[in-house]
Amino acid sequence: MNKKNKIIKSAKKAFAKELTSIKTLSSTFNDNFIKAVEIIHNLKGRVIITGIGKSAHIGNKISATLTSTGTPSYFIHATEASHGDLGSVQKNDCVIAISNSGETSELNNIIQFTKRFNITLISISSNSKSTLHKNANIGILYKKPIEACPLNLAPTTSTTMAMIIGDCIAAALLELKGFKSKHFKKIHPGGNIGKDLKYIGEIMHLKKALPIAEKDEKMSEALIEMTKKSFGCLGVVDSKNKIIGIITDGDLRRKMNSKFFEKKASEIMTKNPTIANKEMIVGEAISLMNKKKITSLFVCENKKPIGIVHIHDLLRITS
């Protein structure tokens, strides 16, 4: 077997081991999982995640995911906890301790601390007979996995499973809290996520830039307005300035004839156009425009046009 084939075979073997164990996680989402999520949802304090070794890295990630989705959380390394960091744990907090074996000795001081001060302890472990699981208020158990490591020693599959459980807790809490894109935006102002979460109201073209025609306006005049504004479309409004239709390049091609220029805009328009509000985020707008196969989107308040965005405006923001 050549070197390339050996590498691929090894990778596929590790992948298969992890995937096999991941599939067993469905049984983990039981009453204990529900109780853990409900405790966190009703919590007045913060969620403290702890662990050691590879579990510590996973704990850090879970804590970051919780915080970024509306559940205040921070990570304490189990060793540092025994040297003063336990002082940051308050009575209204809860602790989630991660340990595959459940017998990590560095967790003993945290376990005793939670008991002494009546702080809720949630464990994530694969060992129902472990010290950690037995002393936890709520124990989330997963089936003991075969590690993807060829020696079945290095934490690989087990850490993947713990991370997935953490992600599922965060997802369940996100939905319970009614956490929306606008909330996500407030705490993700930077990076690529921040770009996708900009409101279209922040980037839309305003007032004089809007390609608008009144419903009774003749197409000979409306077409000049449409060409001048260069959006490839024209919004049609009624006497109350509410948008009732849109004329696109496609409408022009389909309905062009000898009487076209004498027709009213309302005779050419497509009724009930897709519109948006100014608090729609860029990512949602791109998805909507792709779904509807449109290149421009009118932004309205009470159906009155206040702005317009072109797909190129949005793509420039996210690129």
Side-chain angles (χ1 to χ4, degrees):
M1 182 185 297
N2 62 38
K3 186 178 179 180
K4 289 183 179 179
N5 289 339
K6 188 175 181 179
I7 291 170
I8 296 300
K9 183 179 179 180
S10 177
K12 287 184 175 180
K13 188 184 294 184
F15 173 70
K17 286 180 182 178
E18 294 217 11
L19 191 58
T20 297
S21 291
I22 288 169
K23 288 179 179 178
T24 68
L25 278 176
S26 58
S27 63
T28 300
F29 307 126
N30 51 28
D31 287 344
N32 276 9
F33 182 86
I34 293 170
K35 289 175 183 176
V37 171
E38 288 177 338
I39 286 170
I40 299 170
H41 181 238
N42 296 321
L43 200 64
K44 293 180 180 179
R46 301 152 301 174
V47 180
I48 289 85
I49 314 288
T50 190
I52 195 164
K54 304 301 184 293
S55 292
H57 294 293
I58 298 303
N60 238 320
K61 188 271 178 189
I62 293 172
S63 179
T65 300
L66 288 171
T67 298
S68 71
T69 51
T71 300
S73 174
Y74 65 91
F75 174 79
I76 293 179
H77 195 280
T79 301
E80 297 299 325
S82 299
H83 294 275
D85 280 5
L86 280 174
S88 62
V89 183
Q90 304 297 310
K91 64 179 181 179
N92 290 326
D93 297 339
C94 86
V95 174
I96 298 179
I98 305 170
S99 172
N100 182 40
S101 68
E103 293 294 350
T104 305
S105 60
E106 290 86 351
L107 290 174
N108 289 342
N109 286 336
I110 294 175
I111 293 171
Q112 294 306 315
F113 182 87
T114 57
K115 283 185 170 297
R116 188 181 310 126
F117 294 100
N118 197 30
I119 295 167
T120 301
L121 175 63
I122 298 170
S123 66
I124 297 178
S125 171
S126 69
N127 187 357
S128 62
K129 297 179 180 179
S130 67
T131 301
L132 175 60
H133 180 76
K134 287 180 178 179
N135 284 280
N137 297 97
I138 300 292
I140 297 176
L141 281 171
Y142 55 90
K143 185 177 179 182
K144 185 173 178 61
I146 297 174
E147 300 290 6
C149 162
L151 302 175
N152 193 27
L153 293 174
T156 43
T157 309
S158 57
T159 49
T160 299
M161 294 174 80
M163 185 168 67
I164 290 173
I165 291 170
D167 286 343
C168 292
I169 290 173
L173 288 166
L174 187 150
E175 293 203 39
L176 283 176
K177 290 173 179 286
F179 197 79
K180 304 294 184 184
S181 298
K182 61 182 180 181
H183 302 126
F184 204 76
K185 180 185 186 300
K186 289 178 182 178
I187 50 181
H188 290 80
N192 287 330
I193 290 178
K195 293 176 183 178
D196 285 348
L197 292 174
K198 275 185 175 291
Y199 295 128
I200 59 174
E202 298 176 60
I203 60 171
M204 66 186 182
H205 301 269
L206 303 169
K207 298 179 181 179
K208 292 183 179 180
L210 301 186
I212 297 292
E214 294 181 0
K215 64 176 183 176
D216 293 328
E217 192 171 326
K218 287 186 178 181
M219 284 306 300
S220 56
E221 298 173 357
L223 189 57
I224 294 172
E225 173 72 1
M226 182 173 172
T227 304
K228 188 194 305 181
K229 298 300 171 64
S230 303
F231 283 98
C233 69
L234 187 70
V236 182
V237 297
D238 61 15
S239 58
K240 295 181 180 179
N241 199 36
K242 292 187 176 183
I243 194 163
I244 57 173
I246 191 169
I247 299 172
T248 65
D249 290 334
D251 293 318
L252 300 182
R253 289 192 296 273
R254 286 189 294 271
K255 298 181 181 181
M256 184 67 72
N257 56 41
S258 59
K259 297 180 180 180
F260 176 84
F261 293 104
E262 294 302 313
K263 287 187 176 182
K264 297 176 182 179
S266 58
E267 297 178 85
I268 302 299
M269 71 182 188
T270 298
K271 295 180 180 179
N272 302 315
T274 300
I275 59 176
N277 64 65
K278 63 182 180 181
E279 292 186 352
M280 177 179 282
I281 62 172
V282 167
E284 290 175 335
I286 291 174
S287 177
L288 176 64
M289 293 169 83
N290 284 334
K291 182 179 179 182
K292 297 288 186 178
K293 297 180 180 179
I294 57 179
T295 57
S296 292
L297 189 62
F298 278 97
V299 183
C300 301
E301 284 183 352
N302 298 319
K303 290 194 173 182
K304 294 181 178 180
I306 60 170
I308 188 172
V309 290
H310 192 277
I311 189 69
H312 292 161
D313 300 322
L314 308 182
L315 294 177
R316 274 195 295 271
I317 290 292
T318 59
S319 64

